[in-house]
Amino acid sequence: MLPDGTSCVHMVFAGADIVYIGEALPPAPLQRAAQVVDGRGFLAAPGFVNTHTHAAMTLFRSYADDMLLMDWLQTKIWPAEDRLTGADVYWATLAAIGEMIKSGTTTYADMYFFMNDVAKATDESGMRGVLARGMAGVAPTAEQALLESRSLYKDWHNQAEGRITVMLGPHAPYTCPSEYLKRVVALSEELGAEIHIHLSETKGEVDDCFKLHGKSPIRHMADLGVLQRGVLAAHCVHVDEQDLALLKTHQVRVAHNPQSNLKLASGFAPVPAMLEAGIIVGLGTDGAASNNNLDLLEEVRLTAMLHKAVTGNPQVIPARRALDLATRDGAAALGLGGKVGELRVGAKADVVLYERQGLHWCPPHDPVSLLVYAAQNSDVHSVWINGRRVLDNRVLTTIDEEKVKQEVSRRGLKLVGK
Amino acid sequence: MLPDGTSCVHMVFAGADIVYIGEALPPAPLQRAAQVVDGRGFLAAPGFVNTHTHAAMTLFRSYADDMLLMDWLQTKIWPAEDRLTGADVYWATLAAIGEMIKSGTTTYADMYFFMNDVAKATDESGMRGVLARGMAGVAPTAEQALLESRSLYKDWHNQAEGRITVMLGPHAPYTCPSEYLKRVVALSEELGAEIHIHLSETKGEVDDCFKLHGKSPIRHMADLGVLQRGVLAAHCVHVDEQDLALLKTHQVRVAHNPQSNLKLASGFAPVPAMLEAGIIVGLGTDGAASNNNLDLLEEVRLTAMLHKAVTGNPQVIPARRALDLATRDGAAALGLGGKVGELRVGAKADVVLYERQGLHWCPPHDPVSLLVYAAQNSDVHSVWINGRRVLDNRVLTTIDEEKVKQEVSRRGLKLVGK
């Protein structure tokens, strides 16, 4: 929305770009040659940026909850993932993209496998995506993952009208031995690709890293040259002062996933301290198997609320700041700063109109507070990505929702042996 | 929903009661004389019980956020509340009830003032309410509040087809001197009315109570005879082992308000320890000024997630348990156990049908998990209270939503001087 909270706006998009935004009608020349949006009565806002997810894990939504992490992975998720096909990933990613669009998200950062199918779903749906082939150096697929990462970059980086960016996705320090990470760094240097990685999500993995390497995962990544490559680090829950200093020094961007961190009992990431230190923080949902939806508005609300109780200070991360994390700062976290995440002339037209008809929007004291603390994702009325209207009065224009639901229901049940 | 998670059901309501529920069509005699509901394709669940709110504070939703508690109360809320009229409270309560019904809540416990207007709104809307006139012994209205509590009980207890219950509402130990609380206890004994009170919400008030009385607020309430009167205690965030033992001994029921506790930086109520001790816990939204909506589903989800991170155990309060807290246990917390909060023959027909068409309900591995972790309040399709359909395909049947929005917007803005 406009900086002063004004929400009655006219907008003009030319191609992928915002060329006019204001309370007054646009000048006549703009009205002729471009897409004119009358946002009066709605709240206009930049689309959300979901900085960390595994979209195709939508297949496992509600399959297994409330379990110990390793038990969940070993007895439920990994066996089911072993049966995945590229088609499963394609349909599930389309479903995830549809769910994200319908809840106001216009950019997502994904780490999974069968990434060519993920890129295809991203391309076809009109979504903006930052894609990484998850690589586990300890897995039998370690070599294949490096090859696929390279081809994903060659095939898809800056493709789909520039909507797709490719990163490298070494899964985590505890699944990638040092020698493997060095090869990832070398590939990153060769391609010029940035890195998306899980860092310090659980206390256990941090303790293990100290035992194995005598230092924290973040120090370990700095020493291996990973942090120097332009890094999007998911979670960073268990970080100390030295870790924060390293994140800042190397301009690492953090993807904060508060619901996942609660549901998996990972803990509370020290986000206020990160912001205080000047570290860029975006918000993410993580996969739908550990959330269990892809509604970034829930993460915005939880981020604005949770850290108040953790710090004992009701003034930390006020509503406007939380909204910034989900938009402008999230874009910066993905290396898309200045391009998306802002509602201004010159930015890409990744825009959401929220309907304000519900009782929960009443009275209209403060639109930002209402969006952050009271709105619901079904208030999302229309969505544009890169200037294309992908949601029109709550109907997806690029995704066959009924077909996607049928495919994902059938495939999800089959994968878990039902 | 049915105990086995079955969600394709037929139901029959006779008057206010559920007389049939099952997968098969009801027997012919029942079909003739009663209201037959075809719930196939929907998820049927008992309506939520919101065990703690201040409905009319909806007027102040989004007016002031992210502030220190005393600054918020002294500079924002109390001055605005001083200007309230009965008509303001009536319209705002209707708006709050409409918002609650639309998000699947069928019973609410309210503590505020102008309670005759609250009772009127409750009566007219078809809502089930447990109403208490908030009484602050330190306020100029202390005597008047006792008188109004008495007349509220006489006028409204067990009225509106039995939908309204009246409790006494001493605000909190820190606003009610001991002598005043003794008078409340005496009135409670005389009328046979139970008590709704705020207890141990903030660390500050607990510390102050130790300074003033040499004991915790809960010990203090036990010594004054308050806990012996049948108590619904809101918050109980800062409680120790002795407090928990007293709550259990006196069968005090706790209203847990996780979003309010986060947003106001109150802290984390030890709900798993309460449940372990056998204390009845219900869920509440608190008022919309400190939440900022009345969507109990958000509290269910947060309860299921938050305590996992607080305890470091992803198995505490699994989805089904969280749903029970919001329904069956919430009903017990309000003294309505066995009457509402359950979907079974013999219970009151307080029933919600959730539509399962959204992408977020897919794949359908587990309906309870989907409701608790993935659903959104806009999935609420139809709602019955006491056998009356108060929401029909998302349209309120007893409340003029447009009129209510106009009144609350106008009155809310006027109260804060806009």
Side-chain angles (χ1 to χ4, degrees), chain A residues 58-69 71 94-99 102 259-268 290-293 295 298 301-302 304-320 356-367 369-370 373-378 396 399 401-402 404-406 408-410 412-414 416 418, chain B residues 58-69 71 94-99 102 259-268 290-293 295 298 301-302 304-320 356-367 369-370 373-378 396 399 401-402 404-406 408-410 412-414 416 418:
Chain A
T58 297
L59 288 161
F60 309 122
R61 184 205 321 267
S62 83
Y63 166 47
D65 300 290
D66 309 317
M67 295 175 70
L68 294 170
L69 181 65
D71 188 30
L94 268 188
I97 290 172
E99 187 186 344
K102 292 186 92 172
Q259 281 201 330
S260 169
N261 294 163
L262 294 186
K263 185 160 184 287
L264 302 178
S266 306
F268 311 106
S290 55
N291 187 302
N292 293 347
N293 62 34
D295 178 3
E298 290 187 353
R301 183 162 304 158
L302 184 55
M305 289 185 172
L306 180 63
H307 300 285
K308 292 173 167 60
V310 171
T311 60
N313 179 0
Q315 298 178 295
V316 302
I317 315 185
R320 176 81 226 189
R356 301 187 293 171
Q357 295 306 308
L359 284 162
H360 52 284
W361 286 89
C362 177
H365 292 301
D366 179 337
S369 163
L370 288 166
Y373 289 125
Q376 52 202 49
N377 69 31
S378 57
L396 294 166
I399 294 172
E401 186 170 335
E402 287 309 312
V404 160
K405 281 192 290 191
Q406 282 168 24
V408 173
S409 289
R410 183 175 66 79
L413 294 176
K414 189 176 164 201
V416 306
K418 279 183 199 164
Chain B
T58 298
L59 288 160
F60 310 120
R61 185 204 322 266
S62 83
Y63 165 47
D65 300 290
D66 309 317
M67 297 175 69
L68 294 170
L69 181 65
D71 189 29
L94 267 188
I97 290 172
E99 187 186 345
K102 292 185 92 172
Q259 281 201 329
S260 168
N261 294 163
L262 294 186
K263 186 159 183 287
L264 301 178
S266 306
F268 310 106
S290 53
N291 186 302
N292 294 344
N293 61 33
D295 178 2
E298 291 186 352
R301 184 163 303 159
L302 184 56
M305 288 184 172
L306 180 64
H307 300 285
K308 291 173 168 58
V310 172
T311 60
N313 178 1
Q315 298 179 294
V316 303
I317 316 185
R320 176 81 226 190
R356 300 186 294 171
Q357 295 305 309
L359 284 162
H360 53 284
W361 285 89
C362 177
H365 292 300
D366 179 339
S369 163
L370 289 165
Y373 289 125
Q376 52 202 49
N377 69 32
S378 57
L396 294 167
I399 293 172
E401 187 169 335
E402 287 310 311
V404 160
K405 282 193 288 191
Q406 283 169 25
V408 173
S409 288
R410 183 174 67 77
L413 294 174
K414 189 176 164 201
V416 307
K418 279 185 198 161

Side-chain angles (χ1 to χ4, degrees), chain A residues 116-185:
Chain A
N116 197 55
D117 297 281
V118 173
K120 200 162 142 253
T122 307
D123 184 14
E124 292 172 8
S125 63
M127 189 68 165
R128 194 180 300 282
V130 177
L131 311 183
R133 203 292 188 198
M135 300 187 274
V138 294
T141 54
E143 291 305 315
Q144 184 194 340
L146 281 164
L147 292 173
E148 288 182 17
S149 292
R150 177 190 293 275
S151 58
L152 184 72
Y153 190 88
K154 301 263 184 207
D155 294 343
W156 287 103
H157 185 64
N158 277 335
Q159 297 303 302
E161 303 93 43
R163 286 182 287 109
I164 293 181
T165 310
V166 175
M167 287 190 177
L168 302 183
H171 172 265
Y174 61 90
T175 52
C176 293
S178 300
E179 287 310 309
Y180 191 77
L181 285 167
K182 285 181 189 164
R183 294 174 64 194
V184 173
V185 168

Side-chain angles (χ1 to χ4, degrees), chain A residues 34 59 80 85 96 171 197 223 299 326:
Chain A
L59 288 161
T85 67
H171 172 265
I197 188 170
D223 292 349
E299 310 297 330

Side-chain angles (χ1 to χ4, degrees), chain B residues 134-213:
Chain B
M135 300 187 275
V138 295
T141 53
E143 291 303 318
Q144 185 194 338
L146 282 165
L147 291 172
E148 288 182 17
S149 292
R150 179 190 292 274
S151 58
L152 184 72
Y153 191 87
K154 300 263 184 205
D155 294 344
W156 287 103
H157 185 65
N158 277 335
Q159 297 303 303
E161 303 93 43
R163 285 182 288 107
I164 294 182
T165 310
V166 174
M167 286 188 178
L168 302 183
H171 173 265
Y174 62 91
T175 52
C176 293
S178 299
E179 287 310 309
Y180 190 77
L181 284 167
K182 285 180 190 166
R183 293 174 64 195
V184 173
V185 169
L187 183 60
S188 160
E189 285 169 349
E190 179 199 329
L191 299 174
E194 296 198 315
I195 288 174
H196 184 177
I197 188 170
H198 298 87
L199 281 184
S200 302
E201 180 176 3
T202 68
K203 184 166 183 307
E205 77 187 68
V206 173
D207 291 347
D208 288 348
C209 191
F210 269 101
K211 275 182 216 150
L212 202 60
H213 303 287

